[in-house]
Amino acid sequence: MSGDDEQWNDSNRAFLQAFMARSNLTLDEAKPLLAAIQTTYERKETLAEDITEADLNAHIAAANTRISPFDLEIRSTFHQTTRNRVYALVNSTSDPIIQLATIHTAEEISFLKRVLDAMFETYNTPRNEVMAITSMQAVRLHKAPESRRRDTQDGSATQGSTAQGLKMVEAEKMLRTLVDEGWFEKSKKGYYTLSPRALMELRGWLIETYNDVDDDDEDDDDERPPRIKQCVACKEIVTVGQRCSKRSCNCRLHDICVRNFFRMQRSDTCPVCKTEWTSDVFVGERAAPSNKPSRRSVAGSNADTSRITMDGPDQNSDPSEIDR
């Protein structure tokens, strides 16, 4: 019997099956799961508090060895707001949108693409990098734009495209499904954002899709800043965090990375342009115009600007307001 076979047992199989059923886990979520598995297969009671991160990593390493021939891998990243490490099962090679098409209809995939375009184009401008969308804003995208529908009727749409769209009820259901499947997260204020699992699996696709320079822009003197930006500290994509107060600067930091990053520096200045880092210019739902405090409320407050309480989302805000 080979060494790999000796390390792969019923406990490993049970863990992989459980992981595939959930698609993502944190250490706290994995502890009772592994405790139950070890209690069953080792015939000795194991408590959740007995499970360590090393135990989880050992099971993940064994699982990755078995699933790698199928272009699958369990990867991990830190949650942008909680700092919890999140483990997710991702497809390591194929187009993730094609992967989603195996379980969703063409109309649902087209709706998802419109929502992503809204997150990373419409609601992601140099002035306001929101990269999030409210339920009402998303549901309004249930049908393709009128021009797209006319193109389809004229027969000029690309192969495999669809312009039928969804009913509003179907769009709402699709949003809930994307949350249940681990692609989206919904905040307490009602904003949908990409989950850690989605950011890991869609990383390459997001950069290729939204950071590509159009042919018409190649000769422009001013290079368009990338829509998808990485944290200068951890190098992961930032959709929730802070930005340099100088609008032309591309420096971004996760909230969870700010403290440790500046602790290692002698002053709280942007590492790229050396502008003072104010900690009150945000990336994510806090950058939405409806969530920004008025000048009067800021002037009348003695609180730290990084801890300003924000209002809820403007469910009726128009996309054009984002760049005003």
Side-chain angles (χ1 to χ4, degrees):
M1 182 179 293
S2 67
D4 289 342
D5 289 335
E6 291 176 355
Q7 295 176 5
W8 185 254
N9 52 37
D10 289 339
S11 176
N12 297 119
R13 294 185 184 92
F15 171 75
L16 179 57
Q17 290 174 349
F19 200 111
M20 294 182 71
R22 291 165 174 79
S23 75
N24 61 82
L25 284 172
T26 63
L27 177 59
D28 288 340
E29 293 168 339
K31 282 183 175 181
L33 175 64
L34 282 174
I37 290 173
Q38 291 189 9
T39 297
T40 300
Y41 291 99
E42 295 182 7
R43 298 180 180 179
K44 181 178 64 175
E45 183 179 9
T46 302
L47 301 178
E49 51 264 34
D50 296 330
I51 301 298
T52 66
E53 186 173 0
D55 295 325
L56 176 59
N57 289 336
H59 279 77
I60 288 175
N64 278 337
T65 300
R66 290 289 171 147
I67 63 179
S68 60
F70 303 99
D71 298 328
L72 296 173
E73 182 182 359
I74 298 175
R75 298 176 183 172
S76 70
T77 189
F78 286 109
H79 195 283
Q80 293 184 93
T81 57
T82 67
R83 192 59 182 175
N84 290 333
R85 183 173 287 278
V86 179
Y87 301 84
L89 181 68
V90 301
N91 192 302
S92 58
T93 57
S94 68
D95 187 327
I97 302 299
I98 294 177
Q99 176 191 351
L100 277 168
T102 62
I103 56 175
H104 292 289
T105 66
E107 289 82 5
E108 290 171 338
I109 295 301
S110 293
F111 169 69
L112 170 60
K113 288 182 177 179
R114 291 193 293 274
V115 171
L116 292 175
D117 286 346
M119 284 182 177
F120 295 104
E121 291 181 342
T122 309
Y123 300 110
N124 181 21
T125 68
R127 183 185 294 272
N128 299 296
E129 295 181 6
V130 182
M131 288 182 278
I133 190 168
T134 66
S135 298
M136 185 170 290
Q137 290 166 346
V139 170
R140 286 174 179 170
L141 303 172
H142 67 105
K143 288 187 177 181
E146 186 63 30
S147 59
R148 175 74 177 277
R149 293 199 291 271
R150 285 198 299 268
D151 288 344
T152 302
Q153 292 170 359
D154 294 339
S156 58
T158 58
Q159 183 179 1
S161 65
T162 178
Q164 297 300 317
L166 299 173
K167 297 178 181 179
M168 296 182 73
V169 173
E170 293 172 333
E172 292 173 344
K173 180 181 178 181
M174 182 61 176
L175 289 172
R176 292 193 297 269
T177 299
L178 290 169
V179 172
D180 292 340
E181 293 176 351
W183 293 99
F184 282 5
E185 288 185 337
K186 188 176 182 180
S187 73
K188 293 180 180 179
K189 294 183 179 180
Y191 284 89
Y192 288 96
T193 57
L194 288 185
S195 68
R197 178 253 180 118
L199 289 172
M200 280 191 283
E201 189 150 6
L202 296 175
R203 179 187 176 95
W205 184 86
L206 289 170
I207 293 173
E208 180 181 354
T209 301
Y210 297 109
N211 283 5
D212 272 355
V213 178
D214 296 333
D215 293 339
D216 296 338
D217 297 335
E218 288 183 353
D219 297 330
D220 290 351
D221 293 334
D222 296 329
E223 183 179 353
R224 189 186 72 184
R227 289 192 173 98
I228 308 298
K229 301 179 180 69
Q230 285 83 41
C231 173
V232 297
C234 70
K235 311 306 180 184
E236 297 290 345
I237 291 176
V238 177
T239 61
V240 179
Q242 301 177 20
R243 58 183 292 185
C244 178
S245 58
K246 185 177 180 180
R247 191 177 300 172
S248 61
C249 180
N250 289 328
C251 184
R252 304 293 182 268
L253 281 165
H254 291 116
D255 290 313
I256 57 178
C257 295
V258 168
R259 181 177 299 178
N260 289 336
F261 183 79
F262 286 118
R263 185 181 297 168
M264 300 174 63
Q265 296 198 146
R266 295 183 178 179
S267 61
D268 291 356
T269 58
C270 173
V272 176
C273 70
K274 307 307 177 184
T275 300
E276 180 184 0
W277 195 270
T278 60
S279 293
D280 62 354
V281 187
F282 301 110
V283 175
E285 65 181 62
R286 292 174 297 177
S290 60
N291 284 342
K292 291 183 177 180
S294 65
R295 293 180 180 178
R296 180 181 300 176
S297 64
V298 172
S301 173
N302 294 323
D304 188 324
T305 55
S306 65
R307 297 182 178 180
I308 294 174
T309 301
M310 302 299 178
D311 297 328
D314 181 2
Q315 297 286 341
N316 297 310
S317 62
D318 185 86
S320 61
E321 295 177 2
I322 296 296
D323 203 21
R324 290 179 183 174

